[in-house]
């Protein structure tokens, strides 16, 4: 299958013949060719989005959301096929794929509330007979650049709100997992959204840099690794754009001795090994406080060892492969250097038996890790959990707050006071209390602090509406007996 760009309501071959293969990470088979678009292709998409903008902006919000209702129905009707596509290009299990689509669809539902959520404000008589009005207007043409790990959900953190607010958009999905968005755009095309309101440009670095630089684009939304997030943030801001960039993570989970160990183990295992650890909200460090270290390490190691690894399309499989052969090699390199630094592998690791033919890594638990060790600080983005033991909750919170990242931190306890203190003191954007993947619902912002986020307004909900609208303030006087006379 050769993928094409979707520009101005039609599928178009990009200007360059450069293409990359999309590889099924469970089988190493090629499933598609993805074009590597150039600045010329970005120009064409910006031209189409710019041409569509004036009429789309004038389309009443109540009419704009009719397309989103149709889009939601199409996503529901095709959820099984889309899940299969996600599993085949991304490697996660079918249940995980359907779960991510569900979270994506929730954003379409929330964006349908735009006739209420996009309302402004008015104050009569700021002075006698003079009124002041705040109006929200769309920003114009916006770009949405996304990573490989949630090819269905992450574009939907942005696109429904951009459409609902009256903007026209260009989506640039990950070149590693582009097939899902190609299928989603077929569904968008079937809703008969006017040509140019949504556009799809495939590619990598060249397309991203062209989107950052293009003077016709007013705002850029990005999700990916922290170094690229920082690059996109500074490059797009340098040309005067509004930018929001969500970056990488190193998420710690603290286990207090009073936690329900059985429940905690199950939830932490799902967080660390679900989606093969390739979630920006995956737990990758578990900190056992005091006596929790007597039981938790063994329980979590058993949970890791019993996880069924294989092709996510097969029944009973609980964990798929990592995304590419290079990714597997990179993770194995991190594990090898941790071993050289004296870290002990409790289960899994480089020499564990895994299925052949794909990029499989065994669920791995490492122990005896110092809080300042390399493995305790670096984002692994694979099924690897590092265990740290500390004596007090103060030591644990200290570790959390020393991290360069601030995406998520979790606490497992029965003690409300400890939970409140943790919630209050952790320098982190998303907090889980007895929850392992604290993913905000679509009507809350998807937070993230420090190196995990560059910008001020986050994805989803009201933040998305603030991001995709400009505020205009009108001060209005009508001279008559009703107004102030001069
Ligand atoms: P990535 O940074 O490699 O790629 C993200 C996007 O940037 C892709 O569209 C890619 O084509 C583009 N890109 C890659 N290198 C580039 C470069 N040098 N210049 C310009 N553009 C470039 O990320 P990934 O590997 O696809 O995704 C995994 C990362 O994303 C992890 O670090 C993960 O933590 C992070 N992530 C964060 C969140 C969040 O909400 N904070 C959510 C999901 C994933």
């Amino acid at each position: 299958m050769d993928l094409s760009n979707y520009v101005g309501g039609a599928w178009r071959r990009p200007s360059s013949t450069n293409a990359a293969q999309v590889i099924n990470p469970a089988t190493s088979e090629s499933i598609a060719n993805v074009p590597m678009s150039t600045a010329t292709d970005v120009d064409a998409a910006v031209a189409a989005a710019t041409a569509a903008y004036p009429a789309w902006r004038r389309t009443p919000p109540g009419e704009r959301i009719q397309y989103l209702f149709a889009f939601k129905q199409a996503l529901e009707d095709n959820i099984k096929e889309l899940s299969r596509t996600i599993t085949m290009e991304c490697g996660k299990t079918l249940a995980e794929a359907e779960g991510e689509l569900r979270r994506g669809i929730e954003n379409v539902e929330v964006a349908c509330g735009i006739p209420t959520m996009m309302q402004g404000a008015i104050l009569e008589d700021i002075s006698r007979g003079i009124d002041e009005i705040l109006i929200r207007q769309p920003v114009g043409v916006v770009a949405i650049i996304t990573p490989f790990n949630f090819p269905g959900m992450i574009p939907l953190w942005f696109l429904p709100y951009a459409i609902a607010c009256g903007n026209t958009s260009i989506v640039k999905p990950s070149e590693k997992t582009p097939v899902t968005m190609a299928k989603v755009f077929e569904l968008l095309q079937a809703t008969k959204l006017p040509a140019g309101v949504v556009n799809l440009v495939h590619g990598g670095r060249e397309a991203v840099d062209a989107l950052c630089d293009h003077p016709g684009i007013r705002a850029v939304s990005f999700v990916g690794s922290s170094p690229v997030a920082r690059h996109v943030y500074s490059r797009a801001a340098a040309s005067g754009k509004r930018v929001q960039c969500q970056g990488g993570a190193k998420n710690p989970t603290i286990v207090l001795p009073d936690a329900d160990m059985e429940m905690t183990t199950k939830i932490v295992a799902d967080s660390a090994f679900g989606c093969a650890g390739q979630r920006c909200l995956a737990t990758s460090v578990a900190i056992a406080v005091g006596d929790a270290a007597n039981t938790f390490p063994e329980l979590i190691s058993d949970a890791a060892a019993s996880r069924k690894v294989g092709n996510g399309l097969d029944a009973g499989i609980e964990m798929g492969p990592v995304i590419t052969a290079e990714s597997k090699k990179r993770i194995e390199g991190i594990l090898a250097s941790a071993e050289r630094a004296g870290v002990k592998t409790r289960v899994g690791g480089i020499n564990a038996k895994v299925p052949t033919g794909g990029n499989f890594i065994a669920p791995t638990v490492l122990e005896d890790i110092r809080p300042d060790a390399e493995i305790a600080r670096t984002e692994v983005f694979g099924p690897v959990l590092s265990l740290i033991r500390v004596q007090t909750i103060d030591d644990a919170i200290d570790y959390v707050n020393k991290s360069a990242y601030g995406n998520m931190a979790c606490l497992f306890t029965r003690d409300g006071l400890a939970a409140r203190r943790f919630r209050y003191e952790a320098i982190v954007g998303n907090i889980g209390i007895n929850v392992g993947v604290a993913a905000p619902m679509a009507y809350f912002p998807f937070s993230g602090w420090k190196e995990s986020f560059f910008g001020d307004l986050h994805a989803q909900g009201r933040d998305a509406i603030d991001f995709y609208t400009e505020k205009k303030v009108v001060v209005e006087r009508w001279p008559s007996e009703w107004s102030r006379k001069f």
Side-chain angles (χ1 to χ4, degrees):
M1 182 188 356
D2 285 332
L3 299 180
S4 292
N5 291 343
Y6 182 74
V7 174
W11 295 94
R12 298 210 194 147
R13 295 298 309 153
S15 57
S16 143
T17 51
N18 266 354
Q21 289 191 335
V22 182
I23 306 287
N24 180 334
T27 62
S28 305
E29 286 160 356
S30 172
I31 53 175
N33 293 314
V34 58
M36 300 306 279
S37 301
T38 62
T40 309
D41 302 311
V42 167
D43 268 347
V46 176
T50 306
Y53 177 63
W56 186 242
R57 190 215 140 156
R58 281 180 172 74
T59 305
E63 217 175 289
R64 293 200 293 255
I65 62 170
Q66 298 310 313
Y67 296 95
L68 292 180
F69 284 122
F71 182 40
K72 171 191 151 61
Q73 195 53 51
L75 289 167
E76 298 278 7
D77 293 346
N78 291 278
I79 198 162
K80 295 286 176 207
E81 204 223 313
L82 287 171
S83 303
R84 234 184 125 70
T85 303
I86 292 175
T87 296
M88 285 177 69
E89 67 176 352
C90 191
K92 60 182 70 172
T93 66
L94 280 175
E96 289 168 342
E98 191 164 334
E100 82 154 274
L101 284 166
R102 186 61 48 212
R103 301 306 300 267
I105 291 170
E106 285 162 10
N107 280 278
V108 183
E109 292 167 354
V110 171
C112 286
I114 216 70
T116 306
M117 290 190 295
M118 204 175 154
Q119 288 174 12
I122 180 163
L123 183 67
E124 284 184 337
D125 292 323
I126 53 151
S127 187
R128 278 174 215 291
I130 300 180
D131 304 329
E132 193 154 329
I133 305 163
L134 181 144
I135 302 169
R136 286 176 184 275
Q137 297 185 336
V139 293
V141 179
V142 303
I144 297 163
I145 302 162
T146 55
F148 79 80
N149 62 330
F150 286 94
M153 176 183 75
I154 290 182
L156 297 180
W157 281 354
F158 306 103
L159 188 62
Y161 303 99
I163 295 172
C165 291
N167 303 281
T168 55
S169 313
I170 300 163
V171 179
K172 206 300 285 171
S174 166
E175 64 277 35
K176 292 175 195 147
T177 55
V179 184
T180 306
M181 253 321 100
K183 293 201 169 166
V184 167
F185 266 69
E186 283 172 10
L187 302 180
L188 279 166
Q189 185 180 27
T191 67
K192 301 204 167 23
L193 256 179
V197 171
V198 293
N199 303 276
L200 177 68
V201 171
H202 291 292
R205 186 182 184 150
E206 184 177 350
V208 170
D209 286 349
L211 290 166
C212 292
D213 296 345
H214 203 295
I217 293 176
R218 294 290 308 119
V220 175
S221 303
F222 171 92
V223 181
S225 57
S226 291
V228 183
R230 184 184 282 281
H231 163 74
V232 167
Y233 184 72
S234 43
R235 188 155 178 158
S239 65
K241 294 176 181 48
R242 181 178 288 195
V243 200
Q244 52 178 187
C245 293
Q246 304 193 190
K250 182 79 189 172
N251 303 310
T253 285
I254 302 173
V255 183
L256 295 189
D258 70 345
D260 173 338
M261 285 300 163
E262 204 181 312
M263 178 196 81
T264 302
T265 303
K266 191 179 168 331
I267 296 175
V268 175
D270 282 342
S271 175
F273 307 122
C275 297
Q278 298 172 115
R279 271 195 291 226
C280 68
L281 296 181
T283 288
S284 70
V285 177
I287 308 169
V289 177
D291 287 349
N294 296 339
T295 47
F296 181 72
E298 194 167 340
L299 290 169
I300 194 75
S301 301
D302 291 347
S306 66
R307 219 161 177 90
K308 281 213 182 78
V309 179
N311 187 331
L313 289 182
D314 296 340
I317 291 302
E318 295 168 313
M319 195 184 96
V322 296
I323 188 68
T324 56
E326 296 76 57
S327 191
K328 177 175 157 79
K329 217 165 137 194
R330 179 185 57 78
I331 295 164
E332 287 173 344
I334 293 174
L335 292 177
S337 99
E339 265 183 26
R340 281 196 299 276
V343 166
K344 277 192 209 138
T345 303
R346 213 181 154 115
V347 284
I350 307 169
N351 299 318
K353 200 168 160 340
V354 284
T356 52
N359 316 316
F360 296 101
I361 294 194
T364 297
V365 178
L366 307 174
E367 69 175 343
D368 288 351
I369 292 167
R370 291 190 329 272
D372 60 348
E374 188 67 21
I375 185 83
R377 302 176 161 282
T378 314
E379 180 176 40
V380 178
F381 224 55
V384 178
L385 181 68
S386 300
L387 289 180
I388 295 180
R389 296 163 196 238
V390 297
Q391 281 317 309
T392 65
I393 187 173
D394 303 71
D395 300 333
I397 293 178
D398 188 52
Y399 168 82
V400 170
N401 288 347
K402 279 193 178 134
S403 172
Y405 297 103
N407 221 31
M408 182 191 77
C410 302
L411 177 74
F412 284 79
T413 185
R414 288 185 167 102
D415 178 350
L417 200 58
R420 184 174 190 275
R421 178 177 164 206
F422 172 68
R423 185 182 83 188
Y424 194 86
E425 291 187 357
I427 307 173
V428 165
N430 299 296
I431 296 280
I433 306 287
N434 297 316
V435 165
V437 179
M441 296 298 285
Y443 30 84
F444 282 95
F446 192 104
S447 193
W449 292 7
K450 294 160 89 179
E451 288 288 306
S452 299
F453 182 71
F454 303 88
D456 51 5
L457 295 165
H458 294 82
Q460 300 195 145
R462 287 197 180 278
D463 266 28
I465 293 152
D466 279 338
F467 187 78
Y468 289 127
T469 56
E470 299 266 24
K471 295 187 195 80
K472 182 178 276 180
V473 177
V474 182
V475 183
E476 194 168 292
R477 168 202 293 143
W478 294 98
S480 76
E481 72 275 16
W482 276 92
S483 191
R484 189 152 105 190
K485 296 227 167 74
F486 286 89

